[in-house]
Amino acid sequence: MARVLLIDDDEALAPPLAQYLARFDLELVAAVRPSDGLRQLEAGSFDALILDGMLPEIDGFEFCKRLRAGDEPWRQLPVLMLSARGDLTDRVVGLELGADDYLAKPFEPRELAARLQSLLRRAVRAAAASGPPSAAAVVATPAGTARQRRFDGLVLDLDRREARADDGHVFELTSTEYELLLMLAAEPGKVFTRDEILNRLRGQEAELFTRSVDILVSRLRKKLGTLDAIKTLRNAGYCLALAPRP
């Protein structure tokens, strides 16, 4: 059963939601304040985080920002923002700060369950990406050592789920950013449309909010700095512009 942490100051929300999510093999643990949620993260192991946007102490947007900027083991935890602030600007801000998905209140519990399942499938696929190699170049290494995919200026460490530069600098990526990079790296030069990326990352039919793909790519480009790894083909999509290396 996957464990999900909910940080929401509405104390009446957690009990019925926990009962509903249990039907989908999701165990919900609740905290009503960010400080309580942080203690839960430190004390236990979780597979995903539901984060309300409007919270005491600090709001959910700032909490998400700090979560992604830290060096704690849960910094790559899949995050679903759950907030009454559901207009486009807030959704864009939430995604830019590192959230993996965004659901506005009021919401249908079934949709929340579906989105959580999608996030968890995505995390499993990202972990499984360290399995059999695909079209990208893979470094042959002795048993027990890290497997890597190398490109001009970029190294993907499949066992550590890290992306780093040739000088050893590690790019701090969220699980979604890392999976997008793996997706593009699987077939360098191939153009992936926004809908293909949404379908792959969400594990469900793409929504009308395809702008989230542009935000995700922009975030990834910014973190990769001057590497210029991702090429945009206008009205077509995105591709990895780095050549594989042996």
Side-chain angles (χ1 to χ4, degrees):
M1 177 177 285
R3 299 187 77 226
V4 179
L5 175 62
L6 167 69
I7 305 179
D8 193 307
D9 61 347
D10 182 359
E11 296 185 28
L13 175 63
L17 189 58
Q19 185 176 8
Y20 182 82
L21 293 179
R23 296 163 52 186
F24 300 89
D25 289 326
L26 299 171
E27 177 189 354
L28 189 72
V29 178
V32 295
R33 305 175 72 85
S35 56
D36 297 332
L38 186 58
R39 282 191 288 269
Q40 292 278 11
L41 287 171
E42 292 171 343
S45 176
F46 293 93
D47 301 291
L49 170 64
I50 304 173
L51 185 59
D52 185 28
M54 305 293 287
L55 289 169
E57 301 177 340
I58 60 172
D59 65 30
F61 296 92
E62 180 63 23
F63 188 93
C64 184
K65 180 180 178 181
R66 296 183 187 182
L67 182 82
R68 295 307 191 206
D71 57 2
E72 296 85 357
W74 54 80
R75 70 182 183 277
Q76 294 186 349
L77 191 68
V79 175
L80 188 153
M81 293 287 295
L82 186 65
S83 178
R85 295 163 56 175
D87 60 46
L88 179 61
T89 300
D90 289 318
R91 295 176 71 182
V92 168
V93 170
L95 291 167
E96 286 180 335
L97 291 177
D100 297 288
D101 204 351
Y102 196 108
L103 183 60
K105 292 181 177 180
F107 63 91
E108 289 292 334
R110 183 64 185 91
E111 182 179 5
L112 176 63
R115 287 176 180 266
L116 284 172
Q117 290 174 320
S118 177
L119 285 179
L120 294 170
R121 285 195 302 268
R122 188 188 311 172
V124 169
R125 286 198 304 270
S130 60
S134 55
V138 178
V139 175
T141 56
T145 60
R147 291 160 296 162
Q148 300 173 348
R149 297 177 186 175
R150 294 183 178 272
F151 303 85
D152 289 341
L154 176 68
V155 178
L156 297 181
D157 189 315
L158 303 181
D159 293 307
R160 295 187 177 184
R161 296 188 65 243
E162 284 183 350
R164 60 178 180 266
D166 282 341
D167 62 5
H169 170 73
V170 176
F171 301 109
E172 296 294 339
L173 307 180
T174 67
S175 58
T176 309
E177 293 162 354
Y178 180 78
E179 187 172 349
L180 171 61
L181 187 56
L182 280 181
M183 177 181 177
L184 298 177
E187 299 183 71
K190 175 183 175 180
V191 179
F192 291 87
T193 68
R194 290 172 177 82
D195 283 348
E196 286 175 330
I197 293 172
L198 270 176
N199 286 336
R200 184 79 64 88
L201 297 184
R202 291 186 183 278
Q204 59 190 42
E205 289 300 312
E207 296 182 349
L208 295 177
F209 188 48
T210 55
R211 172 64 179 157
S212 58
V213 173
D214 300 325
I215 296 168
L216 179 61
V217 171
S218 176
R219 238 167 50 193
L220 181 56
R221 275 192 179 128
K222 183 177 180 180
K223 291 186 178 182
L224 295 178
T226 59
L227 198 53
D228 197 23
I230 303 174
K231 181 179 180 181
T232 301
L233 282 83
R234 190 171 183 179
N235 298 324
Y238 301 99
C239 70
L240 187 73
L242 303 177
R245 291 191 329 210

